[in-house]
Amino acid sequence: GELLKWEGAFAEVYSTIQTRSDNGEYGPTLLGTVPDMDKASALQALDAACNAYNKGQGLWPTMKVEDRIACMEKFVSQMKTRRAEVVKLLMWEIGKNLPDSEKEFDRTVEYIYYTIEDYKQLDRDSARFAKHGGVYAHIRRGPLGVVLCMGPYNYPLNETFALLIPALIMGNTVVFKPAKHGVLLLTPLLEAFKNSFPEGVVNVIFGRGRVVAAPIMNTGRIDVLALIGNSKSAIALQDQHPNKNRLRLVMGLEAKNPAIVLPDADLDLAIDECISGTLSFNGQRCTALKVLYVHEDIADEFNRRFSEKVDALKFGNPWEPGVMLTPLPEPGKPGYIKELIDDAVSKGAKVINKKGGELSENYIYPAVLYPVNKEARVYSEEQFGPVIPVLSFKSIQEPLDDMAESNYGQQVSLFGKDIKTLAPLIDTLVNLVCRVNLNSSCQRGPDVYPFTGRKDSAVGTLSVHDALRSFSIRTFVASKDN
Ligand code: G3H
């Protein structure tokens, strides 16, 4: 069943992890509650953000750079004291394994420090003057206004903060809505927000999107919609805004990143990278490899060795050592993955690993499908879970044409050795996606690198450096003398 149960003014948050209770029953545990806000409370949070921004004249948007940094430093030092609670909730709420949960927390802390440093640099740069045609210009970056931030369940801390932190430091005020799964783990940090920022600068809304987020958009008072998630919710929210021309967007959306394995690839390396690329956090990453193209000369060997490795992966609870595969937080996900497998099989694919598709209540063992017909749903839908479509190709033009036709354009992984083959291919691939990973799986980090995509995969660019720009506007003071 659903892990979030709405019970009047509060929502009960249940764990993804199932345990045996005192009476012997097996099931999710009640982890805690969060408020189930109504429209009026959500609009109050918006009012607070608008008042704090005060059309650019509030305390926060006009605050000196060093004072804003001091608030952020205070926040991050208080945040660090809550590491254990947040890591524990990452495991229980969304089933992320221990090393990845710790990484998510530490990476977020690091992200905040990098943001502070980059912001200082931006300020130093703005102290420089340009002079053209007798006019001196003193460039500054100013805030955009009130930002609605919404992060996804797969990185409920890190990606929510990858929007929130740069938006804040640039002087915007923020309303943020935690993801449906991973909502509780943000609550230990709310006190740190309260202690560190002036009133109304950071506002959280709990509740169902259509009850709390849609009415906020509907007021037309949101200047920036910052969202990492699926295109459907992104479009639905934008549609609520009465004046879309005024609304700025910063969005990380869906992707269908392919791996292309050339005949001269180092197979050990390619297989290992494809394992982590397809299955870390059970494939629930926008950057996950979601389709594998393997050259026909090596397809049999690749498939055999890849499938054996998939079957050797350990499934278990997130805190158990060596566990890569963990329970899935979305109750409908195992059934959906099963549908994709059945559909691909009905169109000619085989499940080529022994354990593929083994189903339990909140898990489905990863299935490797080969050869996948392009009519199969798993070929075009973003599966966001443990199912791996494999296709073989004869000419490199086949995957290139598919990528050119795709609605997505985030990243690609390219495996091969001969630089004479790789170099021209890379030149083409960078025109189809935004990041080419050479002999490695796709990923967002390190967070200083631009994170974006072509077509339906993104709007604007995230990363420490780019996000400061995405959440601000370039302004300048012009004068005749220096
Ligand atoms: O869900 C998409 C995330 O941005 C993936 O980030 O590559 O660090 O796992 P990651």
Side-chain angles (χ1 to χ4, degrees):
E2 283 291 325
L3 300 179
L4 204 57
K5 292 189 185 146
W6 307 103
E7 302 277 352
F10 287 91
E12 294 183 333
V13 182
Y14 286 85
S15 67
T16 290
I17 308 306
Q18 310 222 0
T19 47
R20 205 166 290 287
S21 65
D22 294 344
N23 61 14
E25 272 175 33
Y26 199 65
T29 316
L30 178 63
L31 296 175
T33 58
V34 288
D36 180 12
M37 284 186 171
D38 58 11
K39 179 176 164 184
S41 322
L43 291 178
Q44 262 174 21
L46 176 66
D47 276 344
C50 293
N51 291 339
Y53 191 68
N54 192 20
K55 298 188 183 340
Q57 298 171 64
L59 172 66
W60 185 248
T62 56
M63 194 179 263
K64 281 205 209 107
V65 168
E66 53 271 27
D67 294 339
R68 261 197 322 243
I69 288 173
C71 294
M72 197 56 90
E73 281 169 342
K74 184 171 180 190
F75 172 75
V76 71
S77 68
Q78 294 196 8
M79 171 182 170
K80 285 194 289 187
T81 65
R82 313 304 290 263
R83 183 178 189 268
E85 290 154 89
V86 176
V87 166
K88 190 170 169 197
L89 282 168
L90 275 163
M91 293 191 283
W92 281 86
E93 264 195 284
I94 62 159
K96 189 169 275 197
N97 69 20
L98 177 61
D100 286 348
S101 295
E102 289 178 333
K103 191 169 147 202
E104 176 159 356
F105 190 90
D106 297 340
R107 175 181 184 177
T108 308
V109 167
E110 196 177 66
Y111 186 99
I112 299 175
Y113 284 121
Y114 273 139
T115 300
I116 292 171
E117 282 317 305
D118 212 51
Y119 181 50
K120 285 181 188 163
Q121 185 59 44
L122 195 64
D123 186 52
R124 280 194 288 272
D125 289 348
S126 75
R128 292 190 196 124
F129 286 82
K131 186 190 170 201
H132 291 285
V135 177
Y136 289 90
H138 180 183
I139 313 283
R140 300 178 186 190
R141 284 226 156 236
L144 295 168
V146 179
V147 183
L148 175 62
C149 292
M150 293 176 58
Y153 81 83
N154 62 333
Y155 278 97
L157 174 70
N158 181 266
E159 292 204 319
T160 306
F161 277 37
L163 303 170
L164 193 67
I165 298 296
L168 280 175
I169 209 160
M170 292 314 296
N172 303 285
T173 63
V174 163
V175 177
F176 81 99
K177 182 185 169 309
K180 181 173 167 193
H181 302 297
V183 54
L184 202 61
L185 60 90
L186 290 171
T187 56
L189 306 178
L190 296 182
E191 204 183 304
F193 277 124
K194 204 166 163 213
N195 296 338
S196 313
F197 295 97
E199 202 186 330
V201 171
V202 188
N203 307 277
V204 59
I205 47 168
F206 293 105
R208 284 160 276 198
R210 92 192 109 80
V211 178
V212 293
I216 284 184
M217 290 300 289
N218 209 248
T219 61
R221 297 167 81 196
I222 290 293
D223 299 296
V224 186
L225 173 62
L227 176 147
I228 298 180
N230 63 53
S231 309
K232 209 172 130 206
S233 348
I235 291 168
L237 276 170
Q238 286 170 59
D239 283 346
Q240 295 292 328
H241 199 287
N243 188 351
K244 278 197 239 162
N245 286 347
R246 260 201 199 182
L247 180 67
R248 284 179 182 249
L249 303 172
V250 184
M251 304 202 293
L253 302 167
E254 292 152 23
K256 189 84 185 172
N257 294 340
I260 301 174
V261 188
L262 299 172
D264 69 339
D266 173 339
L267 266 197
D268 290 323
L269 174 75
I271 288 169
D272 283 348
E273 290 292 316
C274 286
I275 292 279
S276 63
T278 51
L279 290 175
S280 67
F281 196 39
N282 308 292
Q284 301 166 115
R285 294 162 60 226
C286 63
T287 50
L289 290 174
K290 298 199 177 98
V291 56
L292 308 183
Y293 288 94
V294 185
H295 191 272
E296 60 176 16
D297 290 353
I298 51 162
D300 287 346
E301 189 182 351
F302 179 93
N303 285 340
R304 181 179 51 77
R305 288 167 56 188
F306 182 72
S307 301
E308 280 168 13
K309 283 221 162 176
V310 170
D311 281 342
L313 296 173
K314 197 168 158 193
F315 171 75
N317 282 325
W319 51 87
E320 292 166 21
V323 158
M324 175 149 176
L325 309 173
T326 48
L328 305 170
E330 291 180 295
K333 191 51 84 61
Y336 167 68
I337 297 292
K338 178 83 174 74
E339 265 177 37
L340 293 183
I341 298 171
D342 292 346
D343 171 73
V345 167
S346 77
K347 290 168 182 152
K350 288 199 171 68
V351 178
I352 60 170
N353 59 321
K354 290 200 184 84
K355 296 196 203 166
E358 277 176 18
L359 198 59
S360 64
E361 195 188 329
N362 60 355
Y363 198 65
I364 181 158
Y365 203 88
V368 186
L369 294 167
Y370 179 81
V372 169
N373 184 314
K374 291 181 190 170
E375 298 300 314
R377 287 171 58 193
V378 72
Y379 171 75
S380 44
E381 286 178 29
E382 190 200 31
Q383 65 268 44
F384 221 77
V387 55
I388 307 160
V390 186
L391 288 83
S392 63
F393 67 93
K394 201 182 182 66
S395 150
I396 186 65
Q397 200 53 46
E398 295 168 41
L400 293 181
D401 286 345
D402 290 348
M403 287 173 69
E405 285 305 310
S406 166
N407 290 329
Y408 303 120
Q410 191 198 64
Q411 301 189 17
V412 65
S413 288
L414 180 63
F415 296 94
K417 283 198 199 105
D418 177 19
I419 193 69
K420 283 202 215 72
T421 313
L422 294 173
L425 245 181
I426 292 168
D427 289 345
T428 304
L429 287 169
V430 288
N431 290 348
L432 301 176
V433 293
C434 289
R435 173 166 165 166
V436 179
N437 298 278
L438 201 50
N439 293 311
S440 61
S441 61
C442 297
Q443 59 171 0
R444 182 169 40 123
D447 290 325
V448 290
Y449 292 131
F451 177 55
T452 183
R454 296 172 185 273
K455 299 187 258 185
D456 293 345
S457 285
V459 182
T461 306
L462 290 164
S463 84
V464 171
H465 187 73
D466 294 276
L468 294 183
R469 283 137 187 97
S470 299
F471 286 106
S472 60
I473 189 165
R474 229 168 159 223
T475 64
F476 69 101
V477 182
S479 64
K480 287 278 163 64
D481 31 58
N482 191 339

